[in-house]
PDB file of all heavy atoms in Angstrom:
ATOM      1  N   PRO V 611       6.963   7.720 127.093  1.00 97.00           N
ATOM      2  CA  PRO V 611       7.241   6.813 125.957  1.00 97.00           C
ATOM      3  C   PRO V 611       6.796   5.375 126.196  1.00 97.00           C
ATOM      4  O   PRO V 611       6.502   4.668 125.237  1.00 97.00           O
ATOM      5  CB  PRO V 611       8.759   6.890 125.795  1.00 97.00           C
ATOM      6  CG  PRO V 611       9.146   8.185 126.413  1.00 97.00           C
ATOM      7  CD  PRO V 611       8.163   8.441 127.526  1.00 97.00           C
ATOM      8  N   LEU V 612       6.737   4.944 127.471  1.00 95.00           N
ATOM      9  CA  LEU V 612       6.289   3.570 127.715  1.00 95.00           C
ATOM     10  C   LEU V 612       4.762   3.497 127.863  1.00 95.00           C
ATOM     11  O   LEU V 612       4.186   2.413 127.811  1.00 95.00           O
ATOM     12  CB  LEU V 612       6.996   2.969 128.930  1.00 95.00           C
ATOM     13  CG  LEU V 612       8.515   2.795 128.748  1.00 95.00           C
ATOM     14  CD1 LEU V 612       9.130   2.178 129.992  1.00 95.00           C
ATOM     15  CD2 LEU V 612       8.850   1.951 127.509  1.00 95.00           C
ATOM     16  N   GLY V 613       4.106   4.646 128.019  1.00 95.00           N
ATOM     17  CA  GLY V 613       2.633   4.690 128.027  1.00 95.00           C
ATOM     18  C   GLY V 613       2.072   4.991 126.656  1.00 95.00           C
ATOM     19  O   GLY V 613       0.853   4.977 126.454  1.00 95.00           O
ATOM     20  N   CYS V 614       2.970   5.272 125.729  1.00 97.00           N
ATOM     21  CA  CYS V 614       2.593   5.547 124.337  1.00 97.00           C
ATOM     22  C   CYS V 614       3.752   5.037 123.475  1.00 97.00           C
ATOM     23  O   CYS V 614       4.576   5.817 122.997  1.00 97.00           O
ATOM     24  CB  CYS V 614       2.373   7.045 124.122  1.00 97.00           C
ATOM     25  SG  CYS V 614       1.949   7.446 122.411  1.00 97.00           S
ATOM     26  N   PRO V 615       3.865   3.693 123.328  1.00 98.00           N
ATOM     27  CA  PRO V 615       5.098   3.121 122.782  1.00 98.00           C
ATOM     28  C   PRO V 615       5.176   3.056 121.254  1.00 98.00           C
ATOM     29  O   PRO V 615       5.856   2.170 120.712  1.00 98.00           O
ATOM     30  CB  PRO V 615       5.107   1.708 123.396  1.00 98.00           C
ATOM     31  CG  PRO V 615       3.664   1.367 123.520  1.00 98.00           C
ATOM     32  CD  PRO V 615       2.949   2.669 123.832  1.00 98.00           C
ATOM     33  N   ALA V 616       4.517   3.970 120.570  1.00 98.00           N
ATOM     34  CA  ALA V 616       4.632   4.035 119.106  1.00 98.00           C
ATOM     35  C   ALA V 616       4.099   5.375 118.639  1.00 98.00           C
ATOM     36  O   ALA V 616       3.330   6.038 119.337  1.00 98.00           O
ATOM     37  CB  ALA V 616       3.832   2.914 118.431  1.00 98.00           C
ATOM     38  N   ALA V 617       4.509   5.761 117.446  1.00 98.00           N
ATOM     39  CA  ALA V 617       3.983   6.950 116.789  1.00 98.00           C
ATOM     40  C   ALA V 617       3.914   6.667 115.298  1.00 98.00           C
ATOM     41  O   ALA V 617       4.715   5.881 114.766  1.00 98.00           O
ATOM     42  CB  ALA V 617       4.881   8.159 117.055  1.00 98.00           C
ATOM     43  N   LEU V 618       2.955   7.312 114.651  1.00 98.00           N
ATOM     44  CA  LEU V 618       2.851   7.226 113.198  1.00 98.00           C
ATOM     45  C   LEU V 618       3.541   8.447 112.613  1.00 98.00           C
ATOM     46  O   LEU V 618       3.299   9.567 113.065  1.00 98.00           O
ATOM     47  CB  LEU V 618       1.381   7.217 112.770  1.00 98.00           C
ATOM     48  CG  LEU V 618       0.504   6.145 113.415  1.00 98.00           C
ATOM     49  CD1 LEU V 618      -0.954   6.335 112.957  1.00 98.00           C
ATOM     50  CD2 LEU V 618       0.995   4.748 113.064  1.00 98.00           C
ATOM     51  N   VAL V 619       4.392   8.232 111.633  1.00 98.00           N
ATOM     52  CA  VAL V 619       5.013   9.364 110.939  1.00 98.00           C
ATOM     53  C   VAL V 619       4.143   9.669 109.721  1.00 98.00           C
ATOM     54  O   VAL V 619       3.916   8.783 108.867  1.00 98.00           O
ATOM     55  CB  VAL V 619       6.471   9.047 110.542  1.00 98.00           C
ATOM     56  CG1 VAL V 619       7.063  10.201 109.735  1.00 98.00           C
ATOM     57  CG2 VAL V 619       7.306   8.787 111.796  1.00 98.00           C
ATOM     58  N   ALA V 620       3.645  10.898 109.656  1.00 98.00           N
ATOM     59  CA  ALA V 620       2.687  11.285 108.614  1.00 98.00           C
ATOM     60  C   ALA V 620       3.238  10.975 107.220  1.00 98.00           C
ATOM     61  O   ALA V 620       4.389  11.304 106.909  1.00 98.00           O
ATOM     62  CB  ALA V 620       2.377  12.774 108.729  1.00 98.00           C
ATOM     63  N   GLY V 621       2.417  10.320 106.411  1.00 98.00           N
ATOM     64  CA  GLY V 621       2.811   9.994 105.045  1.00 98.00           C
ATOM     65  C   GLY V 621       3.840   8.884 104.946  1.00 98.00           C
ATOM     66  O   GLY V 621       4.340   8.604 103.853  1.00 98.00           O
ATOM     67  N   HIS V 622       4.178   8.263 106.072  1.00 97.00           N
ATOM     68  CA  HIS V 622       5.258   7.263 106.071  1.00 97.00           C
ATOM     69  C   HIS V 622       4.746   5.980 106.736  1.00 97.00           C
ATOM     70  O   HIS V 622       4.102   5.171 106.056  1.00 97.00           O
ATOM     71  CB  HIS V 622       6.488   7.880 106.758  1.00 97.00           C
ATOM     72  CG  HIS V 622       7.713   7.049 106.718  1.00 97.00           C
ATOM     73  ND1 HIS V 622       8.931   7.495 107.165  1.00 97.00           N
ATOM     74  CD2 HIS V 622       7.917   5.766 106.319  1.00 97.00           C
ATOM     75  CE1 HIS V 622       9.833   6.537 107.024  1.00 97.00           C
ATOM     76  NE2 HIS V 622       9.235   5.485 106.514  1.00 97.00           N
ATOM     77  N   ALA V 623       4.945   5.803 108.017  1.00 98.00           N
ATOM     78  CA  ALA V 623       4.650   4.503 108.633  1.00 98.00           C
ATOM     79  C   ALA V 623       4.917   4.599 110.137  1.00 98.00           C
ATOM     80  O   ALA V 623       5.402   5.624 110.623  1.00 98.00           O
ATOM     81  CB  ALA V 623       5.537   3.421 108.003  1.00 98.00           C
ATOM     82  N   PRO V 624       4.641   3.521 110.891  1.00 98.00           N
ATOM     83  CA  PRO V 624       4.878   3.565 112.340  1.00 98.00           C
ATOM     84  C   PRO V 624       6.337   3.363 112.740  1.00 98.00           C
ATOM     85  O   PRO V 624       7.072   2.621 112.081  1.00 98.00           O
ATOM     86  CB  PRO V 624       4.026   2.398 112.852  1.00 98.00           C
ATOM     87  CG  PRO V 624       3.971   1.429 111.722  1.00 98.00           C
ATOM     88  CD  PRO V 624       3.952   2.269 110.485  1.00 98.00           C
TER      89      PRO V 624
END
Side-chain angles (χ1 to χ4, degrees):
L612 295 181
C614 178
L618 305 176
V619 176
H622 186 173

